[in-house]
Amino acid sequence: MVHFYGLLTLQREPVPLKSISVSVSIYEFVADVSATLNYENAEKVPLEAVFLFPMDEDSAVYSFEALVDGKKIVAELQDKMKARTNYEKAISWGHQAFLLEEDSSSRDVFSCNVGNLQPGSKAAVTLKYVQELPLETDGALRFVLPAVLNPRYQFSGSSKDSCLNVKTPIVPVEDLPYTLSMVATIDSKHGIEKVQSNCPLSPTEYLGEDKTSAQVSLAAGHKFDRDVELLIYYSEVHTPSVVLEMGMPKMKPGRLMGDPSAMVSFYPNIPEDQPSNTCGEFVFLMDRSGSMQSPMSSQDTSQLRIQAAKETLILLLKSLPMGCYFNIYGFGSSYEAYFPKSVKYTQQTMEEALGRVKLMQADLGGTEILAPLQNIYRGPSIPGHPLQLFVFTDGEVTDTFSVIKEVRINRQKHRCFAFGIGEGASTSLIKGIARASGGTSEFITGKDRMQSKALRTLKRSLQPVVEDVSLSWRLPPGLSAKMLSPEQTVIFRGQRLIIYAQLTGRMPAAETTGKVCLKYTLQGKTFEDKVTFPLQPKPDVNFTIHRLAAKSLLQTKDMGLRETPASDKKDALNLSLESGVISSFTAFIAINKELNKPVQGPLAHRDIPRPMLLGASTPLKIRCRSGFRKALPSDRPPSASQPIRRVMCCEAVSFQVDNYSLCGLINHKDRHSPGFGENHLVQLIYHQNANGSWDLNEDLAKVLGVSLEEITAAHPAELVDSSGWATILAVIWLHGNGKDLKCEWELLERKAMAWMRVHAGSTMPLVVKAAITFLKSSVDPAIFAF
């Protein structure tokens, strides 16, 4: 009888991965992360395993090492092809070897090979990376430890050597054999107000009375059913700053790693009261692949991704300005457009589009986004209406670099605003296409509201163009700044700018300061943001700023093994090797030459299980050394013997998030009978006309909670017609009953106000007074800005 010790898979095979421990150090806007994977071979034969894991696309991986039975083995960063060859040779010679590389198809997936792990041996494999932390609208810094790795859709042109082709055993989340622990230390000179998370944490422990340092840890028993997110609130998050870091002492001056590097952070104070643009061609590209039928998160009450996308699309359609143009595309294994070409936004075209949205389902099979993008770019431009592309997807594709390349080629004719839906959306795809076109990216997970983020982005797209953006430095004689970040041409309100520079020349004496100034023009007015900083670089053993600067520079040159232009390949390779930051062209390799035991036959392998989640989302995956096997995700392309199975929503089911849902409304056959309970805010939004007005009818009366007869009787017909009266009542109701979601109806209100000023004119103050009295509302009439 064979006895197994330790954790077992469903096939009764031992699992070599025992635990994952993560240490996070956050200082101001930067996170330095150390993740250790602990292995143990409980069998009587040597093993090899390959651990696949997700990572944020902005992460700069700079260190990889292994601790094997007390012996530390530090990896070297090499040309990827050379590293792979060296790894194979080491294994064949009986050495122990470790390989870390970025996936060939996406920058946000990594594989870690542990080769020739001897019976009874233990290995702790540690990788380190640094990353900038994005700033949320409410001022929170967001740190995400990715834990969910979705299966990526494979199509005929997919890379054959991608580690995403792997298929691994699936077990219930509660039966996963490995654990995750995380400790995060946070430091900020501005003071830490609070730390929140989507996962259970230990109570926040402040390490000083001034609350400039704090520590939190992940509660025991975390399951791999969601990414771990931390929201960190500082007392002063919008203050401009400059961090200056010393270069490597042994590196020659003039090189990136030899000179001091500067990280400049600006938060431009763009006035909010600027008038919005009313022109533009708005194209909404909506993912309708099978995986969009999955829940937004693993929570039982989580809304389906396709339903959240439909709700958001309705709000976007209602919020568009009159006079613009629009179109909607759905894509999967194939794609379809609502209109042959973009149409002018009118009541008729809006209603026609809404009718199609009501019927939209996640029924188009796989996730092939490149073809619809190319079709959109081939369309003729509309004079005076710049193209604004909104992409909504769960990001489960394998041709990431090809898609980013296509967006980059067409960057002069449009801006792309990308939204990653649900756990495990590809940060490489979402951030990559936004960055390539000068747009922005958003991720919607857990309890995030897609509607709020989408409407905020629409406001950005309607923002007046910021022009003549420039950055200037005032430094002592003999010292100059060389820009490492790409030239800044787009600035959005509420967005933080991070800029990297290399300081070359002779550093001045102590107590000398420098100044950097950001200048831009908005509608003929010039604005400036300045910050003065000491010219005394600080040492950092990890060279954090240098690594981040190198990553920023690599993102402009490294478009993947197959997509990077030949002229940039050499530069990207040399930059990666000099900075120690991994890229598409490099890999970390560590070899324990002290171990020299020839392997008799092939190494045994074990497929490490991944959790079974609702829908298509899957977390960390590990595969074995037995060749790549093609995965069969829910988004696989159809064949003659395997047609697409159309998945339809049950009309009787209504998914609700925060008591705010359009699902019943969308699936109901009668536009004027929503059938979605008492959610009056949704009803009100749905029945607004394209020009911003409302009609006086039973639908409005139901929202207001009064009879149509009462509204008609109170109507001051001598001052305004019925539509004007209805519109004033609707706006007052919004302010009195929907304050918490103002960010979602603000553009709707703006249209209504503009329509009223033209329609009611000088009588509006009297109409507003009559409406407030009728509704017995406490809303301030000043909101109408007579």
Side-chain angles (χ1 to χ4, degrees):
M1 179 180 293
V2 178
H3 295 276
F4 291 102
Y5 300 93
L7 298 167
L8 305 178
T9 68
L10 296 180
Q11 290 76 31
R12 306 297 296 170
E13 295 171 337
V15 178
L17 179 65
K18 302 305 180 184
S19 65
I20 304 170
S21 57
V22 180
S23 174
V24 184
S25 178
I26 296 173
Y27 178 71
E28 302 298 2
F29 306 131
V30 174
D32 198 327
V33 183
S34 176
T36 300
L37 315 175
N38 297 294
Y39 293 90
E40 181 179 355
N41 183 2
E43 299 187 67
K44 296 180 179 180
V45 293
L47 301 177
E48 182 187 31
V50 179
F51 180 34
L52 305 186
F53 57 95
M55 185 172 292
D56 191 284
E57 195 260 2
D58 289 334
S59 302
V61 181
Y62 67 89
S63 175
F64 181 58
E65 61 186 37
L67 186 65
V68 183
D69 299 327
K71 177 180 173 57
K72 184 177 180 180
I73 310 167
V74 178
E76 177 186 353
L77 190 63
Q78 297 179 355
D79 176 281
K80 180 178 282 188
M81 297 300 107
K82 178 182 177 182
R84 286 178 174 177
T85 300
N86 290 339
Y87 177 82
E88 296 292 344
K89 285 181 179 179
I91 295 299
S92 65
W93 291 342
H95 298 319
Q96 198 166 52
F98 304 85
L99 182 71
L100 178 71
E101 61 180 314
E102 185 182 280
D103 182 61
S104 61
S105 297
S106 187
R107 238 192 310 250
D108 61 348
V109 179
F110 281 72
S111 63
C112 174
N113 295 49
V114 177
N116 204 1
L117 187 62
Q118 293 296 302
S121 183
K122 295 181 179 181
V125 180
T126 300
L127 64 99
K128 297 179 181 179
Y129 64 90
V130 290
Q131 69 176 111
E132 301 168 8
L133 298 184
L135 190 65
E136 298 291 294
T137 305
D138 62 354
L141 289 168
R142 189 173 196 165
F143 169 77
V144 178
L145 179 67
V148 176
L149 177 57
N150 289 336
R152 304 292 168 91
Y153 169 71
Q154 308 290 311
F155 64 103
S156 57
S158 298
S159 171
K160 302 304 180 184
D161 64 347
S162 171
C163 60
L164 294 169
N165 291 319
V166 146
K167 185 180 181 181
T168 54
I170 299 177
V171 299
V173 173
E174 58 271 16
D175 292 340
L176 262 189
Y178 44 90
T179 60
L180 173 68
S181 61
M182 186 190 80
V183 176
T185 302
I186 305 159
D187 292 283
S188 172
K189 61 184 179 182
H190 300 300
I192 303 163
E193 291 186 347
K194 59 183 177 179
V195 180
Q196 297 178 340
S197 177
N198 66 328
C199 300
L201 296 176
S202 63
T204 302
E205 179 184 355
Y206 289 99
L207 306 180
E209 294 183 359
D210 55 359
K211 290 191 174 183
T212 57
S213 183
Q215 182 172 289
V216 296
S217 59
L218 192 62
H222 174 76
K223 302 297 183 183
F224 288 85
D225 59 349
R226 72 192 76 175
D227 295 338
V228 180
E229 298 179 1
L230 297 181
L231 294 176
I232 305 153
Y233 294 83
Y234 293 153
S235 299
E236 297 179 29
V237 75
H238 297 151
T239 306
S241 64
V242 176
V243 179
L244 197 58
E245 181 181 272
M246 291 177 61
M248 290 183 174
K250 296 182 180 179
M251 188 71 70
K252 291 182 179 180
R255 307 290 295 273
L256 170 63
M257 301 303 290
D259 288 329
S261 284
M263 177 182 179
V264 184
S265 176
F266 277 114
Y267 189 86
N269 186 22
I270 298 176
E272 186 176 10
D273 57 352
Q274 298 292 328
S276 297
N277 293 323
T278 57
C279 61
E281 178 189 4
F282 297 89
V283 176
F284 304 102
L285 183 55
M286 192 65 64
D287 192 339
R288 287 175 52 188
S289 63
S291 57
M292 286 290 288
Q293 190 67 16
S294 305
M296 289 289 292
S297 73
S298 60
Q299 300 174 21
D300 293 339
T301 58
S302 179
Q303 191 178 30
L304 297 184
R305 298 175 187 178
I306 189 65
Q307 294 298 342
K310 289 164 71 170
E311 294 181 9
T312 302
L313 190 50
I314 285 178
L315 288 175
L316 286 168
L317 285 173
K318 290 289 184 176
S319 302
L320 290 177
M322 292 296 291
C324 73
Y325 288 76
F326 79 100
N327 203 350
I328 299 172
Y329 282 72
F331 72 93
S333 299
S334 60
Y335 66 90
E336 60 183 31
Y338 282 15
F339 304 99
K341 62 179 182 179
S342 293
V343 296
K344 196 165 187 178
Y345 181 71
T346 64
Q347 183 69 23
Q348 179 181 345
T349 57
M350 183 192 74
E351 289 188 350
E352 184 177 345
L354 287 175
R356 299 283 297 275
V357 172
K358 288 165 62 177
L359 302 175
M360 187 173 71
Q361 301 293 341
D363 57 359
L364 290 183
T367 311
E368 297 187 29
I369 190 174
L370 186 58
L373 276 176
Q374 292 171 332
N375 181 268
I376 291 168
Y377 293 145
R378 283 196 298 266
S381 299
I382 302 175
H385 293 271
L387 175 61
Q388 312 271 23
L389 178 61
F390 287 66
V391 177
F392 294 84
T393 178
D394 54 19
E396 300 176 4
V397 302
T398 52
D399 57 341
T400 300
F401 291 122
S402 299
V403 174
I404 295 173
K405 180 181 179 181
E406 185 69 24
V407 173
R408 181 186 292 271
I409 291 172
N410 293 277
R411 64 184 180 275
Q412 298 298 331
K413 64 171 64 174
H414 83 301
R415 289 189 299 185
C416 180
F417 301 93
F419 300 83
I421 303 172
E423 301 284 356
S426 170
T427 60
S428 185
L429 175 69
I430 303 303
K431 291 185 177 182
I433 60 177
R435 183 186 296 111
S437 63
T440 60
S441 58
E442 297 278 4
F443 292 87
I444 301 101
T445 59
K447 295 182 179 180
D448 288 345
R449 289 186 54 77
M450 190 187 304
Q451 297 89 336
S452 298
K453 293 194 172 185
L455 268 295
R456 181 174 75 225
T457 300
L458 180 60
K459 286 177 64 178
R460 285 177 170 174
S461 72
L462 294 170
Q463 176 183 303
V465 178
V466 174
E467 301 175 311
D468 303 324
V469 181
S470 65
L471 193 73
S472 59
W473 297 76
R474 294 182 186 177
L475 301 171
L479 189 64
S480 61
K482 176 185 176 182
M483 296 300 297
L484 300 175
S485 299
E487 181 182 357
Q488 196 73 37
T489 58
V490 180
I491 301 178
F492 296 103
R493 187 179 186 279
Q495 185 181 36
R496 189 181 75 231
L497 300 182
I498 300 290
I499 301 162
Y500 296 97
Q502 177 182 349
L503 298 189
T504 60
R506 179 171 50 85
M507 294 302 295
E511 299 182 2
T512 307
T513 60
K515 182 180 291 186
V516 59
C517 176
L518 177 70
K519 185 182 294 186
Y520 53 94
T521 302
L522 181 63
Q523 295 189 319
K525 296 182 180 180
T526 300
F527 297 86
E528 288 187 356
D529 281 26
K530 301 177 182 178
V531 58
T532 300
F533 61 97
L535 280 168
Q536 286 80 49
K538 296 182 179 180
D540 183 343
V541 295
N542 294 327
F543 299 96
T544 301
I545 304 304
H546 285 76
R547 314 281 193 193
L548 290 173
K551 180 68 176 183
S552 176
L553 198 52
L554 277 170
Q555 286 174 329
T556 66
K557 295 179 176 293
D558 182 0
M559 290 292 106
L561 280 170
R562 289 171 295 278
E563 301 294 342
T564 302
S567 57
D568 287 337
K569 282 186 177 180
K570 184 177 180 180
D571 289 343
L573 174 61
N574 290 338
L575 176 61
S576 176
L577 293 175
E578 178 190 337
S579 64
V581 174
I582 202 169
S583 70
S584 297
F585 307 100
T586 54
F588 280 105
I589 171 109
I591 300 174
N592 181 10
K593 295 183 178 180
E594 292 184 6
L595 179 67
N596 191 11
K597 297 181 179 180
V599 179
Q600 302 298 321
L603 292 173
H605 61 264
R606 297 290 175 258
D607 287 336
I608 308 301
R610 55 185 173 87
M612 176 172 59
L613 303 180
L614 291 173
S617 296
T618 58
L620 306 175
K621 302 196 293 184
I622 300 178
R623 74 155 178 90
C624 63
R625 182 183 173 82
S626 59
F628 291 98
R629 291 178 293 176
K630 187 168 184 176
L632 296 174
S634 60
D635 285 357
R636 61 176 176 246
S639 63
S641 60
Q642 183 79 39
I644 296 177
R645 182 179 64 181
R646 291 182 174 265
V647 182
M648 305 298 290
C649 280
C650 176
E651 288 189 2
V653 178
S654 177
F655 297 91
Q656 290 203 338
V657 177
D658 296 334
N659 197 33
Y660 180 52
S661 173
L662 285 167
C663 185
L665 175 149
I666 293 170
N667 289 328
H668 203 277
K669 294 180 176 63
D670 183 0
R671 174 181 181 267
H672 294 286
S673 302
F676 48 80
E678 299 299 316
N679 201 323
H680 294 160
L681 175 60
V682 177
Q683 295 182 49
L684 186 67
I685 291 173
Y686 191 80
H687 293 299
Q688 187 185 31
N689 296 317
N691 62 8
S693 67
W694 274 268
D695 295 327
L696 187 59
N697 53 31
E698 290 285 357
D699 292 318
L700 179 65
K702 181 179 179 181
V703 173
L704 300 181
V706 294
S707 68
L708 181 60
E709 291 74 18
E710 290 175 300
I711 299 176
T712 304
H715 172 208
E718 71 282 3
L719 299 176
V720 69
D721 64 18
S722 60
S723 291
W725 176 236
T727 303
I728 291 290
L729 291 172
V731 171
I732 292 173
W733 190 94
L734 280 173
H735 279 273
N737 298 272
K739 295 180 192 175
D740 293 342
L741 294 173
K742 184 177 180 181
C743 60
E744 296 179 16
W745 52 259
E746 193 172 4
L747 290 178
L748 305 174
E749 180 215 22
R750 194 175 296 178
K751 282 206 298 185
M753 292 288 203
W755 182 85
M756 277 301 304
R757 290 189 185 99
V758 173
H759 198 74
S762 59
T763 65
M764 193 158 69
L766 296 175
V767 179
V768 169
K769 183 178 180 181
I772 289 175
T773 300
F774 172 68
L775 292 176
K776 300 178 181 178
S777 173
S778 59
V779 169
D780 187 350
I783 63 170
F784 289 88
F786 304 123

